[in-house]
C-alpha cells in the first residue's frame, strides 16, 4: 500500500473566504459585524474607563467586570477587523504566523473569560452566602491573584496549540472557509496526523471551560439555596437581582457555544454558512451585549455613565470616541481611497449610534 507523499512544500499563506455561500451578501453581512464591533469597543472601553476612574466602583464585582471588559475588547479586536477586511476589501490573505497568532488570542481570551465568569460566580456566592466576610475573603490582593491566575492558566494551556499547529505541514488547500483562524479548522487542512491536536484541544476544553461551567452551576445551587432561606420576599428579590446581570452574561457566553457544538455534531445537513455564522455569533454577541447588560442592570454603572455622558465627564467620553474613530480611520486609510470613502460613511453612522442609542440605553 502506497504511503502519502508529504514532500510538497508547506503553505505559509492562507486565504480566508469569509462566509462561503453568501459571498454576494458580504457587504450586507458586514453591517451587523461593524455595528457589533462598534458597540463592543465603545461599550467595553467606557465600562473599563468608568470602573478604573470611579473610586466608588473599586469593589470586587466591578474589578471582575473590568477584567471581562478587557477580555471582550481583545476577543472582538482579534476577529472582527479581519472579517471586515474580507467583506469590504476581499483581503482574506493571512500568513501562517498571523493565523497562529489569531488562534492563540482567540482561544486564550475565551478561556480567560470563562475563568473570569467563575470568579464572578464566586463573588456572588460570598456576597450572598457569607456577606460578613465578603471584604475579607475578596480583598484587593486576592482579586489581583485571581486575575493573574486566570491569565496564566489561559496562556499556559493555549501556548502548546501554537506549537501543535506550527509543526504541521500544510500541503493541501490553503483556502479556509471561515472569517478567522480556528485551531481545528486549520489543522484539518494539514497533510499529517492531527490526533494530538484533536485530543489536546478536547482536553483543554474539558479541563477549563467545562470545569468552570460545572463550578458556576454548583455555586448557583448554593446561592439559590441560601436565597430561598431568606425570611422576606423583598430580601429574596434583592439577592436574586444582584445575580441577574451575571446570569445574563453567563448565558451570552455559553449558549452560543452550546448551539455551535450541537450544530457541528448533529447538523450534518446544515449548510456550512450556518456553522460559520454561529461561530461568529460566539465572537460577536458576548463582547457586544456584556456592557449593555451590566449598564442596564447595575444602577451604579448606569449613574456613572449618565454622569460621564451628560455632566462633567463629557470631555473624557469625547476622548474615548476620538480614539476609536482614529483607530477605525487608520484601518481604512491603509487600504486606499475606495475604503476611505466607505470609512466616512461608517464613521458618520458611528456618531449616530453613539449619540442616539448607547447613551439612551444607559439613561
Amino acid at each position: 500500500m502506497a504511503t502519502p507523499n508529504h514532500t510538497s512544500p508547506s503553505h505559509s499563506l492562507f486565504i480566508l473566504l469569509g462566509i462561503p455561500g453568501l459571498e454576494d451578501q458580504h457587504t450586507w453581512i458586514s453591517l451587523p459585524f461593524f455595528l457589533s464591533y462598534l458597540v463592543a469597543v465603545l461599550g467595553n472601553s467606557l465600562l473599563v474607563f468608568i470602573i478604573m476612574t470611579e473610586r466608588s466602583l473599586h469593589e470586587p464585582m466591578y474589578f471582575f467586570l473590568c477584567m471581562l471588559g478587557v477580555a471582550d475588547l481583545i476577543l472582538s479586536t482579534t476577529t472582527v477587523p479581519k472579517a471586515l477586511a474580507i467583506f469590504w476589501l476581499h483581503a482574506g490573505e493571512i500568513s501562517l504566523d498571523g493565523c497562529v497568532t489569531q488562534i492563540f488570542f482567540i482561544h486564550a481570551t475565551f478561556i480567560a473569560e470563562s475563568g473570569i465568569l467563575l470568579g464572578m460566580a464566586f463573588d456572588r456566592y460570598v456576597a450572598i452566602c457569607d456577606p460578613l466576610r465578603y471584604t475579607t475573603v475578596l480583598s484587593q490582593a486576592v482579586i489581583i491573584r485571581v486575575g493573574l491566575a486566570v491569565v496564566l492558566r489561559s496562556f499556559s494551556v493555549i501556548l502548546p496549540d501554537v506549537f501543535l499547529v506550527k509543526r504541521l505541514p500544510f500541503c493541501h488547500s490553503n483556502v479556509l472557509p471561515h472569517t478567522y483562524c480556528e485551531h481545528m479548522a486549520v489543522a484539518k487542512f494539514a497533510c499529517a496526523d492531527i490526533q494530538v491536536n484533536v485530543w489536546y484541544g478536547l482536553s483543554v476544553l474539558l479541563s477549563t471551560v467545562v470545569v468552570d461551567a460545572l463550578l458556576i452551576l454548583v455555586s448557583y445551587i448554593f446561592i439559590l439555596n441560601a436565597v430561598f432561606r431568606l425570611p422576606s420576599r423583598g430580601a429574596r428579590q434583592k439577592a436574586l437581582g444582584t445575580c441577574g446581570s451575571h446570569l445574563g452574561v453567563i448565558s451570552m457566553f455559553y449558549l452560543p457555544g452550546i448551539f455551535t457544538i450541537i450544530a457541528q455534531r448533529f447538523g450534518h445537513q446544515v449548510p456550512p454558512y450556518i456553522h460559520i455564522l454561529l461561530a461568529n455569533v460566539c465572537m460577536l454577541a458576548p463582547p457586544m451585549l456584556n456592557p449593555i447588560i451590566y449598564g442596564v442592570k447595575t444602577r451604579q454603572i448606569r449613574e456613572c455613565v449618565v454622569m460621564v455622558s451628560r455632566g462633567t465627564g463629557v470631555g473624557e467620553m469625547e476622548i474615548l470616541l476620538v480614539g476609536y474613530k482614529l483607530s477605525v480611520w487608520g484601518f481604512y486609510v491603509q487600504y486606499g481611497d475606495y475604503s476611505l470613502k466607505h470609512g466616512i460613511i461608517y464613521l458618520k453612522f458611528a456618531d449616530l449610534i453613539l449619540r442616539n442609542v448607547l447613551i439612551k440605553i444607559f439613561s
Side-chain angles (χ1 to χ4, degrees):
M1 182 176 178
T3 58
N5 183 8
H6 300 328
T7 60
S8 301
S10 180
H11 295 298
S12 59
L13 182 72
F14 293 91
I15 299 174
L16 295 168
L17 291 182
I19 303 178
L22 297 177
E23 288 87 353
D24 57 337
Q25 303 296 324
H26 274 180
T27 301
W28 293 106
I29 294 172
S30 70
L31 185 59
F33 272 71
F34 177 77
L35 293 179
S36 299
Y37 184 55
L38 177 68
V39 173
V41 171
L42 291 179
N44 286 292
S45 297
L46 186 59
L47 199 62
V48 171
F49 173 79
I50 287 173
I51 293 172
M52 295 298 292
T53 57
E54 183 60 43
R55 294 188 64 84
S56 64
L57 299 180
H58 289 182
E59 299 178 6
M61 181 180 73
Y62 300 111
F63 284 136
F64 281 122
L65 184 55
C66 185
M67 295 179 202
L68 189 66
V70 172
D72 283 337
L73 284 170
I74 295 173
L75 183 63
S76 56
T77 303
T78 302
T79 56
V80 181
K82 184 59 181 178
L84 293 177
I86 296 169
F87 295 150
W88 291 338
L89 313 170
H90 307 290
E93 298 84 3
I94 185 169
S95 66
L96 177 59
D97 290 336
C99 204
V100 169
T101 302
Q102 200 174 45
I103 289 171
F104 175 79
F105 279 103
I106 289 173
H107 291 284
T109 308
F110 192 81
I111 291 174
E113 288 206 13
S114 179
I116 294 168
L117 291 176
L118 176 59
M120 295 171 79
F122 181 68
D123 169 84
R124 292 300 85 202
Y125 167 77
V126 176
I128 293 174
C129 298
D130 197 3
L132 297 179
R133 299 181 57 209
Y134 180 73
T135 55
T136 304
V137 174
L138 289 170
S139 64
Q140 196 168 29
V142 171
I143 300 299
I144 293 173
R145 285 197 290 268
V146 170
L148 289 174
V150 166
V151 173
L152 288 175
R153 183 189 72 159
S154 61
F155 274 47
S156 61
V157 299
I158 295 301
L159 191 59
D161 273 350
V162 173
F163 301 102
L164 288 175
V165 174
K166 287 282 287 183
R167 73 181 178 89
L168 295 173
F170 297 96
C171 52
H172 296 317
S173 174
N174 66 336
V175 178
L176 303 177
H178 216 305
T179 58
Y180 59 86
C181 293
E182 193 270 329
H183 179 201
M184 291 312 303
V186 175
K188 288 178 181 177
F189 285 86
C191 48
D193 184 26
I194 62 170
Q195 287 299 310
V196 175
N197 298 65
V198 172
W199 287 109
Y200 183 76
L202 181 60
S203 65
V204 167
L205 180 66
L206 293 175
S207 62
T208 55
V209 177
V210 173
V211 169
D212 291 347
L214 291 175
L215 292 175
I216 291 172
L217 178 61
V218 170
S219 69
Y220 268 96
I221 291 174
F222 284 110
I223 289 171
L224 292 175
N225 183 52
V227 166
F228 289 117
R229 286 184 177 180
L230 295 174
S232 66
R233 181 179 178 182
R236 290 195 294 269
Q237 289 179 341
K238 183 178 179 180
L240 289 174
T242 62
C243 301
S245 300
H246 185 233
L247 288 172
V249 170
I250 290 173
S251 300
M252 289 299 100
F253 181 80
Y254 285 106
L255 288 181
I258 292 172
F259 286 132
T260 300
I261 292 172
I262 292 173
Q264 289 176 344
R265 295 293 180 269
F266 305 105
H268 300 296
Q269 303 301 319
V270 176
Y273 66 83
I274 297 295
H275 295 290
I276 306 301
L277 288 173
L278 283 174
N280 278 281
V281 168
C282 294
M283 300 293 110
L284 293 171
M288 177 186 68
L289 295 176
N290 288 348
I292 295 176
I293 291 172
Y294 270 96
V296 171
K297 296 287 291 183
T298 308
R299 178 181 56 82
Q300 294 92 329
I301 293 178
R302 191 167 61 247
E303 290 175 351
C304 288
V305 171
V306 173
M307 180 186 69
V308 168
S309 60
R310 294 181 175 177
T312 58
V314 172
E316 288 87 345
M317 187 168 186
E318 290 297 324
I319 290 173
L320 286 173
L321 294 175
V322 171
Y324 178 71
K325 290 179 182 179
L326 287 175
S327 66
V328 177
W329 190 274
F331 171 80
Y332 284 108
V333 168
Q334 66 178 321
Y335 288 109
D337 293 337
Y338 174 78
S339 301
L340 194 59
K341 294 175 183 177
H342 285 75
I344 294 171
I345 297 172
Y346 280 104
L347 286 173
K348 288 181 178 179
F349 196 56
D351 274 333
L352 182 64
I353 293 295
L354 163 73
R355 304 192 182 279
N356 296 291
V357 177
L358 290 179
I359 293 177
K360 289 183 180 180
I361 287 174
F362 294 110
S363 301

